[in-house]
Amino acid sequence: MNNLSKNYINGEWVSWSGPTLDVHEAGTGDVIAKVPASGRDEMEQAIAAADAAFADWSESSLDQRIKVLEQLHAGLKERAGEIAETVCREVGMPIKLATGIQAGLPATITKTYLKMLPDFPFSEQCGNSEVQYAPVGVVGCITPWNYPLHQVILKIVPAIAAGCTVVLKPAEIAPQSAYILAEILDGTDLPKGVFNLVSGEGQTVGDTLIKHPAVRMVSFTGSTRTGGLIAHAAADDFKRIALEMGGKSASVILPDANLAAAVKGTVNNCLLNSGQTCTALTRMLVPADLHDEACELAAAAVARMTPGNPLEETTRLGPLASAQQRDKVIDYIKLGIEEGHTLVAGGPEAPEGCDKGYFVKATVFGNVKPGSRLEQEEIFGPVLCVIPYQDEADAIRIANGTQYGLSGAVWSADADRAKKVAGKLRTGQVFVNGGDFNPLAPFGGFGHSGIGREFGKWGLEEFLEVRSLQL
Ligand code: ADP
């Protein structure tokens, strides 16, 4: 990539000679790239470009939008290997998983919108009214580092499909795949100014983006703390917001479930991307009399997840994305011990043979007390809490007992019972008996986990205003 030292503004790669941000390789700690720590001026130029491009792009034909998304899809496929390796190095996700998820999912999502667009009802009749769906305007997209390209695609593809123009500020820790995306879009027929990329820190360029009056919507994925700042800033100017934030999702294993399958499914989900996943099932709720057996099964599952070099095909657990994240997770593991929960597997020491890079042992705590900090707070690392419950009502109460509500799971031999319990969980999605991920189903949170939905038609509707013509 030749453009990492630049920003992409108004269809041009614009050089930057100011301060830079280091990008580290998660498995070694080495600096592997430098990107601009841009200033507010660069962000303002990008917003002005997006604002100027809006009049034409909001009137573009569906054919024009479809053509660009087809070109984007082809580019994502063509550069999939490079995307997978880039994200694997930055974030630490093992290469095999990164190939399927970090590189594969962005292409899949783009395809879902390509398929949806020809038949999407941009207007409909309601009695004597024609209801029209109009693009919301310039959209500021602020994204995190854990699934760096996926989260960008989930925003910019439906935004562009809706007729919006976009300014993207990618995460400082994992910005390189956003540059690959900008290079791909630069090679498409997308008119200049429709997509802009400004690299930099949240407190500077991110702050300008969320407060600028020309930006009519902010679509954000990241921490609940930053989401709160964005909601405050948006309130001053009545901007639209879509926020996807933290989680502390519960996997509720009912007494009649296949315990081995449920524990395995929960552990695999919890440890995906070394736990750096907002939907991770980090709380495993088990009937009190099955608690010890569940802990043994979880410890055995975790033992198979030895940390290793994420670039190796056989590695199943990679490092965390940054030194800061590693230290935060280790502090939580120490907190878990201080709070008196039972350490079943793992611990705060560095895993053997991993003296470089940001590795943490996959860790399981048993007898975790509802209401404790370990049980309530998002850790964003490979740490599973096993929580015993007394009966179904107790399980539902504990599952709903955090400020979050992003994901969840229910396991039972009785599919109807599982569905009934799933319907009582205050959360945006629930996996019933390990149901498959669906890229067309709405995704988002209750409570402090978010506002708005991504994926599928719900993801597109976020970027549309409603206008009704009385005829
Ligand atoms: P994480 O803890 O996952 O890094 P953050 O919420 O800090 O989550 O970061 C997610 C994204 O939000 C990043 O792109 C970051 O630069 C951006 N960000 C952080 N602080 C601000 C802010 N004050 N204003 C706008 N964007 C911000």
Side-chain angles (χ1 to χ4, degrees), residues 142-145 169-172 200-203 206-207 210 220-223 225-226 229-230:
I142 300 186
T143 51
W145 44 261
K169 195 215 81 66
E172 298 90 318
E201 290 177 311
Q203 296 88 326
D207 184 71
I210 65 175
F220 167 78
T221 302
S223 67
R225 188 192 63 82
T226 307
L229 293 177
I230 291 171

